[in-house]
Amino acid sequence: MSNICAIIVHKPEQENLQTCLNRLQQQSHQPDHILVVTPVQGLSIPAALTLQVDAALGSMGAAAKGLEYAFTTLQADAAWVLADRTWPRPSALAQLLAAEADETTIRMGMMIDPAKGDELSQPISIPGKTTGVWIPITHKADLPDEPCIPCRTGSYGALISRQAWQTVGTPAEQLHTQGCATYSWEIQQAGYQLVTVRAAEIELPAAVKPLIHYRLANRSFFYEPGIPVARQYYKTRNWAWLHRLQAPRNYPARLILCGVYILFSLNAMLQCNELGIKRVYNLFRALHNGFYGKLRPY
């Protein structure tokens, strides 16, 4: 990977872009290009290239445009996907490149929160003892003591190779946001594996309110309190859409999963005092659209 493009997905309401740029310039292994994908018109950054996109695309759509530009226009060998609120530590890129992995492995940074003692910012799902079972880990101490940890999902902090992009393509723009699980699944279906590189640390503030976690049999359900209704819509819709991709004709199983998702979500809303008409309607609309394969916007 001799030509690496760092992609920063920028949201206009975020004020962290300069910090992310500074962190990239401090890397012990410098990326060859820095590309800021932004909906802001006329944004000029001396230290980076800018690619203006439609604000309606959302973060996944912006990442898709960034990947296309990196591989087609800049002819990058790999693209390192970041957001303006993800701040890689100085050796992060060097550690990703140094990790022992073959061409069918996608390497990702480990998201940590300095405000919480460098604890994990978000759960990492690792393989269980039974094939097909994944266990979400929320504390670093519970992760396997390995330099490269097999995992299931990831988006920001991922080092996407040209080969993987040519095989899988870019994320569907209609996913809008909260679509990393779908893109990760598509990557794995194409024969690639995902690993989190323990030493490639990327700072990312954890959710203000702790996730509410439910586990039923071999499946985990997470509810994120306090997020905007629009973001909750995409998170729920994309969850149902992914299960449609995984089992398009298994309607009974998917209906049962949606029913369980509804019960857990309503209980979580009640628990964190968010049970209202708007969120409940949003929940059912999102599941309906995802179940029937309709990637309608919020």
Side-chain angles (χ1 to χ4, degrees), residues 169-191:
T170 53
E173 295 178 4
Q174 297 92 332
L175 291 173
H176 190 80
T177 186
Q178 302 289 308
C180 66
T182 298
Y183 193 52
S184 296
W185 179 78
E186 291 173 344
I187 288 174
Q188 290 170 308
Q189 289 299 109

Side-chain angles (χ1 to χ4, degrees), residues 30-201:
Q30 288 282 307
D32 299 272
H33 309 279
I34 298 176
L35 175 66
V36 177
V37 186
T38 177
V40 179
Q41 294 184 6
L43 182 64
S44 178
I45 304 172
L49 301 167
T50 57
L51 176 64
Q52 186 183 338
V53 296
D54 189 338
L57 285 176
S59 57
M60 291 304 294
K65 293 294 186 184
L67 286 169
E68 290 174 359
Y69 190 90
F71 289 121
T72 58
T73 302
L74 301 178
Q75 292 297 304
D77 297 316
W80 192 21
V81 185
L82 300 166
D84 49 12
R85 63 193 182 98
T86 57
W87 305 340
R89 289 185 170 172
S91 65
L93 181 54
Q95 293 290 349
L96 285 175
L97 295 171
E100 293 186 8
D102 59 24
E103 294 181 351
T104 63
T105 300
I106 303 298
R107 289 163 280 191
M108 294 180 292
M110 178 176 285
M111 300 294 179
I112 58 173
D113 187 353
K116 296 186 178 181
D118 286 355
E119 192 54 88
L120 296 178
S121 301
Q122 51 199 19
I124 297 177
S125 292
I126 65 172
K129 295 181 179 179
T130 305
T131 302
V133 174
W134 294 85
I135 301 173
I137 302 298
T138 56
H139 300 287
K140 280 201 299 186
D142 297 328
L143 289 171
D145 187 18
E146 303 171 4
C148 294
I149 303 166
C151 57
R152 184 169 59 170
T153 59
S155 178
Y156 293 133
L159 190 64
I160 307 294
S161 66
R162 168 180 285 275
Q163 175 182 302
W165 174 77
Q166 288 175 331
T167 304
V168 183
T170 53
E173 295 178 4
Q174 297 92 332
L175 291 173
H176 190 80
T177 186
Q178 302 289 308
C180 66
T182 298
Y183 193 52
S184 296
W185 179 78
E186 291 173 344
I187 288 174
Q188 290 170 308
Q189 289 299 109
Y192 293 84
Q193 62 175 336
L194 310 179
V195 297
T196 295
V197 179
R198 181 186 285 273
E201 296 180 326

Side-chain angles (χ1 to χ4, degrees), residues 240-241 244 251 254-255 287-294:
W241 167 258
R244 177 185 174 87
Y251 300 106
R254 290 198 288 121
L255 278 172
L287 286 174
H288 174 273
N289 287 342
F291 185 90
Y292 288 105
K294 299 175 181 178

Side-chain angles (χ1 to χ4, degrees), residues 214 222-223 232 236 260-270 275 283 287:
Y214 299 103
F222 287 95
Y223 184 87
Q232 187 181 56
T236 304
V260 173
Y261 194 102
I262 291 169
L263 291 176
F264 284 155
S265 295
L266 292 176
N267 186 69
M269 289 177 188
L270 183 63
L275 187 61
L283 169 68
L287 286 174

